[in-house]
Amino acid sequence: MIFNADEKYVTVHGRTLFIDNVRYINYSLSGTAFKFRGKSLKAKLTSDYKPNPDCGDIFLPFCAVLVNGEMTKRFEVSAPEGVYDLYESDSDDEVEIELVKMSEAAFGKVGIVEFISDSDIPPVPVEKKKLKLEFVGDSLTCGYGIEGKNGVDVFNTRQENPYKAYAAQTARKLNADFDLISWSGIGILSSWVDDKAVEPLTNWLSPVLYPCTDAGYSNDLHQEPFEQWDFSRFVPDAIIINLGTNDESWTKGIPEREEEFSRKYADYLKLIRSKNPEAVIVCAYGAMLDTIFHTVEKAVELFKAETGDDKVFTLHFTVQNEERDGIGADFHPSQNTHDRMASELAAKLAELGVC
């Protein structure tokens, strides 16, 4: 049978746009999950990928397939439309299939046009888990450079693996469903800028993304206004914010800039709280650098003083150590560092009674 990614057939993970019966799975680890009985399953996928003449194919979009919770395939989706093998078996067993986006929203859009199976039995959505976590972040949450080596590899999407990164690891440790609203290079006051910058980069910030379903694709489609996310669709028990690394490229220890960052961060907390009145919020920072952590603490104190909210906390990730942990591509955390971050975050959430 042929079926699309309608929610009568599949469980949707992450924030996705459903346009003309195509499910666009652009954020890291967004996708679909369902129970399937049959011997063969394929997917027709669409992609907007176009090679960059300046840097070749380093930004190819990638997807992955999980069968009964184990990743069995990871593949590029570079054709405007193509059919991809997801599952083959000699026996007609019921299995749980997940199709997820591995590369992040910044690098190529992917849409699920339809699934094609050898079975006449309709698929069934998987049950949702009791615990729900939401992660708001940047390249660290996307798993940027996790499979590369600093000084050897330059970032490419073949080495980006959000499944191995701290956020998804933490969710698996705690048996939680999760959403990632993450984008490399993004900040709250400023996205990443080089040393010569004379002003912050403010055209694309995390507070712009958060209220929207998929601001990146809405922007590509020239939607005005961008489709707004229905916050009743996913009500997290805890929201983990891991932002500031890119802002630090602008603040550079300058007091006035750090003060503005704290103010912007506190305002962002107000936005997030307005959409999630009951969630525990953990403002995490560290891993790559931690010189701006005191401004994150100040932002939380400011937010609490202005709102009386007592469900917002900070978490200082242990900073990466090259000799101990290795470092991934472009100075990003290695697998060892992500493993440690997941342990530290899981312990913090347990301490707060989230799980």
Side-chain angles (χ1 to χ4, degrees), residues 105-116:
F107 307 125
K109 309 299 188 290
V110 172
I112 303 171
V113 179
E114 61 189 19
F115 294 100
I116 306 149

Side-chain angles (χ1 to χ4, degrees), residues 319-340:
V319 177
Q320 63 188 357
N321 179 291
E322 187 166 15
E323 183 177 347
R324 181 190 64 210
D325 302 321
I327 296 180
D330 297 349
F331 199 68
H332 280 68
S334 66
Q335 183 66 71
N336 290 336
T337 300
H338 276 281
D339 293 349
R340 176 178 42 71

Side-chain angles (χ1 to χ4, degrees), residues 5 21-25 32 44-45 99 110-115:
N21 291 320
V22 177
R23 177 78 60 185
Y24 290 93
I25 53 170
T32 62
K44 181 184 287 187
L45 305 177
L99 174 62
V110 172
I112 303 171
V113 179
E114 61 189 19
F115 294 100

Side-chain angles (χ1 to χ4, degrees), residues 1 29 51 80-82 91 138 141-142 145 168 172 174-175 205-206 233 246 258 261 283 292 295 338 342 345 354:
M1 68 175 292
L29 297 180
E81 189 167 276
S91 57
D138 51 29
T141 305
C142 296
R172 289 196 298 276
L174 303 180
N175 191 33
L205 296 171
S206 189
R233 287 184 54 84
N246 295 300
E258 290 189 344
F261 172 75
C283 300
I292 206 173
T295 65
H338 276 281
L345 178 54
V354 173

Side-chain angles (χ1 to χ4, degrees), residues 36-54:
F36 163 77
R37 181 175 291 278
K39 295 181 180 180
S40 173
L41 182 70
K42 304 175 187 292
K44 181 184 287 187
L45 305 177
T46 181
S47 168
D48 71 346
Y49 173 73
K50 293 180 177 62
N52 186 318
D54 297 325

